[in-house]
Amino acid sequence: MDSNNNVVKRTVMVVSNGGEAGHLVVSEITSPTLPASSHAMPANDFFVGRKGVTPDGCGVTAQGEEEVCSEAFRDAMRDLAGGVTVVTVGKGDDITGFTATAVNSLSANPPRVIVCISKGSSSFTPLDSNRSFAVNIIGSGDQAIADQFAGKGGLKGAQRYGDAEWTTMYSGTPILSASLAALDCEVDEVIERYDHAIVIGRVRAIRIFSRQTPLVYWQGGYQQLVSSPELIGGLRNCSGPKAVQYP
């Protein structure tokens, strides 16, 4: 956004599988609830935050080294746009899940993903005990699903699944039929650090089916990528779901 609060569009070159280039326009959407930009912080606030020399969220490590402030850290990380996923956990009637942007690939050979989850999350114990989960990559038309799994309206457990259409693959964990892609995973390792756990997933099955753009989370709100139908068709030219299962 420029100094006059006009929407700014950035054009990025995207190359499809066929080698033909297209343009993807990223639109920064104006929101009245958008937090104050961290870029306006004084230069020395990268360490002490906005509240002074000893603001809430600052502390001292066991080694006696002062930590940066949680508030300033959150401000900085809001500038990192992330794809939105719904991580589903459990089987049958004992199901739950959560919305996450802290999901990434770890390795392509072998296929492994990383999911970061708060140890205080209601999904952490079921995930750890079931030793399986699914990552559902959410499209721009399914913000309601993302809200449900974020617990909006107080929804918990199986309530978060609502009236959406679900299927299963290798592990029996629910897979969102409308997702851009889904990864059905076994828990390979759980590494607990601080107030979170890093979950490494062994990808056992993959489902790909979409012609829509992804839902993006940036600056505390959902955003959308704007592109032409021709570009989406070129990037994902398929007439139905494609599923791959690993032995």
Side-chain angles (χ1 to χ4, degrees):
M1 187 176 301
D2 63 19
S3 58
N4 295 319
N5 292 325
N6 296 317
V7 174
V8 176
K9 292 186 177 181
R10 303 170 182 166
T11 303
V12 185
M13 187 68 72
V14 177
V15 179
S16 70
N17 292 335
E20 297 181 356
H23 289 84
L24 192 64
V25 179
V26 181
S27 178
E28 298 181 355
I29 301 173
T30 307
S31 170
T33 60
L34 196 66
S37 172
S38 60
H39 300 305
M41 296 172 64
N44 62 340
D45 277 0
F46 78 96
F47 189 79
V48 300
R50 294 174 176 166
K51 298 181 181 178
V53 178
T54 57
D56 293 340
C58 292
V60 178
T61 67
Q63 292 76 29
E65 299 173 351
E66 190 171 0
E67 292 277 13
V68 297
C69 299
S70 297
E71 181 188 5
F73 177 73
R74 292 190 185 100
D75 277 346
M77 294 308 295
R78 286 189 184 104
D79 276 332
L80 179 61
V84 179
T85 71
V86 161
V87 179
T88 47
V89 180
K91 301 171 187 176
D93 296 329
D94 186 21
I95 51 177
T96 187
F98 58 99
T99 300
T101 56
V103 175
N104 213 331
S105 60
L106 173 62
S107 167
N109 187 23
R112 298 289 187 271
V113 294
I114 289 177
V115 174
C116 295
I117 178 174
S118 168
K119 291 190 288 186
S121 168
S122 60
S123 297
F124 177 59
T125 298
L127 189 157
D128 196 29
S129 60
N130 276 282
R131 308 302 292 179
S132 62
F133 63 93
V135 175
N136 302 272
I137 302 174
I138 302 301
S140 56
D142 287 316
Q143 180 178 327
I145 295 289
D147 281 337
Q148 288 171 203
F149 277 83
K152 189 173 182 178
L155 296 178
K156 297 181 179 180
Q159 295 176 330
R160 297 181 175 182
Y161 286 75
D163 297 326
E165 183 178 342
W166 300 87
T167 186
T168 58
M169 292 193 295
Y170 179 87
S171 71
T173 304
I175 300 292
L176 179 64
S177 297
S179 59
L180 301 185
L183 310 175
D184 195 359
C185 306
E186 288 181 342
V187 173
D188 193 42
E189 186 177 359
V190 177
I191 304 168
E192 296 189 26
R193 290 291 184 273
Y194 313 111
D195 60 353
H196 274 64
I198 304 164
V199 181
I200 299 176
R202 178 186 181 188
V203 182
R204 300 307 304 267
I206 298 172
R207 185 179 189 272
I208 301 173
F209 180 35
S210 177
R211 288 173 180 252
Q212 61 176 317
T213 54
L215 187 63
V216 177
Y217 194 76
W218 176 77
Q219 283 287 1
Y222 295 113
Q223 313 292 343
Q224 295 182 11
L225 300 182
V226 181
S227 63
S228 66
E230 292 78 11
L231 176 59
I232 295 299
L235 292 173
R236 185 68 54 77
N237 185 17
C238 61
S239 58
K242 294 182 179 180
V244 178
Q245 185 162 305
Y246 290 85

